[in-house]
Amino acid sequence: PQAPQFIGKERRRRRAKMRSRGMGAKQPLGLQVLSLLVLYSAVTSATCPHFGAWLKPVGNVFNNLEGFVTLQVAPDAKSVVVSMQITALPFSSAIPQFQSVEIRGPARSIEVVPDGTAPLLILPQPSIDQAITSTYLTTVRRSAVDMEEFVEYLRQGLTYISVPTDREPGGELRGQLEVGHCLEASLMPSAGAPNMHAYGFVNVMIKQDRTAIAVLAQVPEDKTRALSMSPNNITISNAGNILVTVQPMSYESCVLGTFDGKKADGTTCNFGERHVYPAEINNANAASKVWNVMNPAAAHVISALEGQTAQVFYGTQTSMNMGMPGEVHGVLKTAIACRLLLGVHDNLFTVATSHMSDWLTVWSMNEGNPDVRPTLVPKYFGHPYQILKGETALAITRRYGMSEDEILRLNPGLANIDALPVGSTLCIVPNWQTVVAGMASGSALVDPRVLAECGVGIGKLCVLGIGF
């Protein structure tokens, strides 16, 4: 069926009316620290991408391709970063000629946009050369003509990835962009490990309908936190049962489920059948990263992953010789909101400015020296705040000096701002000057004597113990 035309005029009218009244108006840079309140549903976190799409063949004619796409909305909501992974499965060497990948909408998962509708975004044209690799990877930054409309479609679950080919010009692969359930684990050294500073980080994204998962395994590039050697065994297990095996080295295959370059009968895959796949362990600073994708994934595997007890191990020859399952290990937990992973070019200042905060506020939420910023370590960019029964976005924005526009701009996963789910987490970066000066409700929480000592309005910086 064709998708109905999505109508967001009322929300836009309301935002425009608020702006005309001065709500959400920006102060000149340097006069005021702008505040932002970022909402995430209970199943998302900044350490995982905002949206994911598991790509499967459309129809039953061609079935030797699959893929996975992640999409991250920039904090200013003016662009998105899209990472795309398309894989040719090992049982067939028939690779089509790809056309430019498209993000289309508005349409639900069982709908298509009307004929002649322009794509919302156009992504690069994939290319797979079997002699080199059977996996195509790319990461690009793109902006839609109407970003406000595009992000609105994203938050409503009305966008999908379409991969046209010469075999299926209307789209051979398709996947709906959605907010997945995110799990994470910081991996620390096992007892007796050769490097007690070794580290790793793992994310698991689970599809909303709990039928597929994607695992991202990473290691830092700095030698002080490196394993003694490259991993040769990466597993996620629970109660002794292996749930997921991540391939830490590139491998060859011509049979689905094999990784040694051999057929089911033990003979070597011939050149025409050979598929080469990249390692699924990623350096933190890699431009494009390889996910381990299970689509479909067994229901018992997903249940065990969600049980908050599954363990991740990065094994090496060293750990094997020492009788340990891994040099580093950690337990998968639901991802903690209001955090992001630092990259090689990140510091507290870049984190603060990207979220329109200040580095002192960011530093106050995180441990350690502000000049020490190891990659892959989650850092808070906002204060986690859990929604209670009866709380509304309007009351919360007034309390913290916010506007609805700012909430929506930095909350791409929020489906309905007028119905905040009880128990969901808000990430708050308060507008301290607005709150302290009494221009936002809730400022009575500050002792007037403290305000007098701070000298609000005369350029002094004060750190206040406000009882939020």
Side-chain angles (χ1 to χ4, degrees):
Q2 290 189 338
Q5 290 300 308
F6 180 80
I7 300 176
K9 293 182 180 179
E10 173 59 27
R11 179 165 288 176
R12 291 191 183 195
R13 183 199 63 76
R14 184 172 56 185
R15 293 185 205 166
K17 187 175 182 180
M18 291 172 64
R19 284 192 290 266
S20 69
R21 293 176 178 173
M23 298 181 68
K26 303 304 181 187
Q27 298 294 329
L29 186 63
L31 294 182
Q32 178 175 324
V33 176
L34 295 178
S35 62
L36 292 174
L37 179 145
V38 187
L39 293 97
Y40 290 91
S41 68
V43 295
T44 190
S45 169
T47 59
C48 271
H50 293 135
F51 300 92
W54 285 259
L55 309 183
K56 294 292 285 184
V58 177
N60 298 315
V61 178
F62 305 105
N63 64 347
N64 68 320
L65 297 174
E66 67 177 17
F68 183 65
V69 173
T70 64
L71 185 148
Q72 186 83 6
V73 181
D76 61 6
K78 293 181 179 179
S79 64
V80 294
V81 175
V82 182
S83 294
M84 180 166 50
Q85 172 177 321
I86 296 177
T87 301
L89 301 178
F91 53 78
S92 173
S93 297
I95 306 300
Q97 179 66 43
F98 292 96
Q99 301 172 19
S100 295
V101 177
E102 301 169 340
I103 299 182
R104 290 190 159 272
R108 300 178 182 89
S109 59
I110 60 173
E111 300 168 338
V112 295
V113 296
D115 292 339
T117 304
L120 301 172
L121 276 183
I122 297 178
L123 302 175
Q125 177 180 340
S127 176
I128 293 178
D129 185 346
Q130 289 284 72
I132 301 174
T133 181
S134 295
T135 299
Y136 169 80
L137 297 171
T138 190
T139 298
V140 294
R141 183 180 293 274
R142 290 287 189 270
S143 295
V145 174
D146 187 337
M147 280 297 299
E148 185 178 7
E149 179 183 71
F150 179 55
V151 174
E152 188 68 41
Y153 290 161
L154 285 170
R155 72 173 83 252
Q156 298 295 332
L158 295 173
T159 58
Y160 65 92
I161 304 292
S162 177
V163 183
T165 68
D166 59 344
R167 300 190 303 199
E168 288 287 349
E172 185 169 335
L173 291 175
R174 171 174 170 154
Q176 202 79 6
L177 282 161
E178 61 179 60
V179 178
H181 180 190
C182 182
L183 307 173
E184 62 182 25
S186 293
L187 310 186
M188 300 301 179
S190 303
N195 181 5
M196 295 309 294
H197 299 287
Y199 183 76
F201 196 86
V202 168
N203 284 116
V204 178
M205 289 188 71
I206 301 176
K207 201 169 183 286
Q208 284 182 5
D209 63 6
R210 302 177 77 252
T211 61
I213 66 171
V215 180
L216 181 64
Q218 300 185 75
V219 292
E221 290 192 350
D222 50 304
K223 295 181 180 180
T224 60
R225 296 185 297 150
L227 303 174
S228 64
M229 58 181 63
S230 297
N232 60 6
N233 183 32
I234 299 178
T235 59
I236 303 176
S237 61
N238 188 59
N241 299 314
I242 295 179
L243 306 173
V244 180
T245 299
V246 175
Q247 301 303 319
M249 296 175 285
S250 60
Y251 63 95
E252 296 183 5
S253 178
C254 59
V255 179
L256 193 65
T258 65
F259 311 97
D260 57 2
K262 295 183 179 180
K263 303 178 184 180
D265 61 4
T267 59
T268 302
C269 300
N270 61 46
F271 182 79
E273 300 170 321
R274 185 174 66 101
H275 288 61
V276 180
Y277 298 98
E280 296 170 345
I281 184 75
N282 300 273
N283 286 326
N285 303 326
S288 294
K289 297 179 172 65
V290 183
W291 292 73
N292 175 287
V293 180
M294 294 176 63
N295 186 13
H300 76 275
V301 169
I302 293 178
S303 295
L305 291 173
E306 293 177 326
Q308 311 293 298
T309 59
Q311 297 191 74
V312 184
F313 295 95
Y314 283 7
T316 65
Q317 187 61 48
T318 301
S319 63
M320 186 181 299
N321 294 340
M322 298 178 68
M324 301 185 303
E327 280 195 38
V328 293
H329 71 282
V331 178
L332 276 174
K333 301 285 187 180
T334 298
I336 299 174
C338 314
R339 304 196 304 175
L340 51 79
L341 297 175
L342 292 185
V344 65
H345 300 298
D346 291 327
N347 54 44
L348 297 187
F349 180 79
T350 61
V351 171
T353 53
S354 65
H355 292 85
M356 299 184 189
S357 181
D358 62 275
W359 76 268
L360 284 173
T361 297
V362 174
W363 179 40
S364 70
M365 294 183 290
N366 296 284
E367 297 179 352
N369 189 304
D371 294 323
V372 178
R373 47 183 189 276
T375 58
L376 277 185
V377 175
K379 294 290 185 182
Y380 285 96
F381 61 84
H383 296 276
Y385 180 86
Q386 194 171 52
I387 294 295
L388 302 177
K389 185 177 180 179
E391 288 189 303
T392 65
L394 180 60
I396 292 169
T397 55
R398 285 178 174 175
R399 184 178 188 183
Y400 297 108
M402 299 304 306
S403 72
E404 183 183 282
D405 220 25
E406 290 170 331
I407 295 175
L408 292 171
R409 187 174 69 246
L410 288 186
N411 177 40
L414 181 64
N416 186 357
I417 194 171
D418 298 318
L420 298 177
V422 174
S424 61
T425 301
L426 311 183
C427 302
I428 298 172
V429 183
N431 184 331
W432 299 111
Q433 185 168 345
T434 300
V435 174
V436 171
M439 291 183 287
S441 62
S443 59
L445 295 171
V446 184
D447 191 320
R449 293 169 296 181
V450 177
L451 292 179
E453 292 178 3
C454 278
V456 174
I458 58 175
K460 291 185 179 180
L461 174 65
C462 297
V463 180
L464 304 177
I466 300 176
F468 293 125

